[in-house]
Amino acid sequence: MEAELVALIGTGATTVVGLMVTDAWGQVKQRVVGLFGSETGADGVAGELEESRAVLVAADGTAAEDDLRSDVTASVRLRLRRLLEEDPGAAEELRRLVDELAYAARPPGTVHNSITGGRQGGPVVQGHTFTRLTFRTTGDTARDRTD
């Protein structure tokens, strides 16, 4: 097997297993099942993935966590290798899936905003798109100030 495909299989397995223990798994699972579905049937694949996920979730924070993650990753890697050996055309679908999932697998970043340059007399909102914002405040209002 080509080195590029071996790397793709490794990345795919690591990405899938990493997502199993995140909130994104509910959305990702169907894509993964679709990739493996023709191999053993969608119901069987979904069941095996959920069993693996349950093992990983239960092991979170325990001494066995790393070993279990490694075992599940190896299992997914073997399954991906078998898939690509049987259907070399599935490599492109796996590549697309890995590209899409890589974004979901990234840990959330930290955002820190600060406001400078004057006095703010009310709420400040930073973001991209806002609709129908309503602010109800009590206390200090422009009429109450005598500056």
Side-chain angles (χ1 to χ4, degrees):
M1 185 170 278
E2 295 177 27
E4 180 184 342
L5 289 179
V6 171
L8 177 63
I9 290 167
T11 302
T14 302
T15 302
V16 167
V17 173
L19 286 167
M20 281 183 175
V21 294
T22 68
D23 293 337
W25 180 245
Q27 298 168 347
V28 170
K29 182 176 86 170
Q30 291 309 313
R31 295 288 313 275
V32 176
V33 168
L35 181 65
F36 289 130
S38 58
E39 183 184 332
T40 60
D43 291 339
V45 171
E48 289 176 27
L49 290 171
E50 281 305 312
E51 286 176 24
S52 294
R53 180 180 193 275
V55 166
L56 292 173
V57 169
D60 187 36
T62 68
E65 180 179 10
D66 289 341
D67 287 341
L68 290 170
R69 180 180 296 272
S70 179
D71 291 348
V72 172
T73 302
S75 173
V76 172
R77 192 171 39 249
L78 287 171
R79 176 169 269 189
L80 286 171
R81 178 183 294 272
R82 191 170 47 241
L83 173 69
L84 295 187
E85 286 172 350
E86 293 173 5
D87 180 11
E92 187 55 38
E93 185 178 351
L94 176 59
R95 196 171 283 114
R96 276 194 312 271
L97 182 64
V98 166
D99 288 345
E100 291 173 23
L101 298 183
Y103 178 77
R106 285 188 207 127
T110 301
V111 176
H112 175 77
N113 294 315
S114 61
I115 301 168
T116 61
R119 183 174 168 175
Q120 312 309 325
V124 176
V125 180
Q126 293 179 304
H128 183 266
T129 304
F130 299 99
T131 59
R132 300 182 185 175
L133 291 178
T134 302
F135 297 98
R136 290 181 176 39
T137 61
T138 59
D140 186 31
T141 65
R143 288 182 298 200
D144 297 335
R145 280 184 249 128
T146 58
D147 308 343

